[in-house]
Amino acid sequence: MNQEQETKLVIITGMSGAGKTVAIQSFEDLGYYCVDNLPPALLPKFLDLMKDATNNIQRVALVMDLRGREFFDSLFEALDALAKENWLEGHILFLDAKDEALVTRYKETRRSHPLATGGLPLDGIKQEREILDELRGRAQRIIDTTSLKPRNLREKILKVYKEEKQEVFSVHFVSFGFKYGLPIDADLVFDVRFLPNPHYVANLQPLTGLNPDVSSYVFKWTDTQTFIDKVTDLLKFMLPQYKKEGKSQLVVAIGCTGGQHRSVALAEHFSKGLSNGYTTHVSHRDIDKRKVL
């Protein structure tokens, strides 16, 4: 491991039902290596793996769901040892909420509290709060999620923990051929089979939309320019709404018949055109499905 760059470790813990699942998903969106529900006894071994010079893990988030006192001796020993490591920046994030809010959440999900076996949810909540009291006191940051919706909690975590100038929301443009089926992970799908097809132009047929001659042919038509203008306006309206809603990635699929010409050229165009305001990526799912490219 590069010792010049300090590794960040965030331990996510707190009350059951306070939002640990949303938290770990948010850290995953930030590019952290995430492990859900790591037993505290395994923390020292995990730290050894992080310290191994052969890996390049620089940011790690661990969820530790502490529901029994037997976990605490090993956890506090590990935290004390962690504080002595000059290559590691350790941090505890404790998620909390008022008892009334936690009871309501358990009722909404029809789940029973893990410490309230056969009892009322409030009994388990009070027992868990007592167990976690000392750990709460050692936390560097406490977030009360009583009045926070999952989206609000995610926004709060991203604001606090993202790196300077780090962009979380990204747009991925995917070209594809309808003859091979729709991409299953697409959020938006645009069908461009109505545009003139370079496949029927002899010297363009063996090429792809990455070739300047093909893209010039695709873009020279009035219908293509009208389509680009309308889709660009639509995306400029929709993307801020998706970002505001808390979506970390939007997949925009653009399809033509075989995924070779029109969809490829247009996916490249939109990816470059929106790159000034957003982090964009482009991929061409079916571009290699022809023997001659």
Side-chain angles (χ1 to χ4, degrees), residues 32-43:
Y32 278 69
Y33 182 90
C34 298
V35 179
D36 196 359
N37 205 12
L38 181 77
L42 296 181
L43 182 56

Side-chain angles (χ1 to χ4, degrees), residues 204-218:
L204 300 181
Q205 186 183 77
L207 306 175
T208 74
L210 298 177
N211 185 284
D213 292 337
V214 174
S215 59
S216 295
Y217 177 88
V218 172

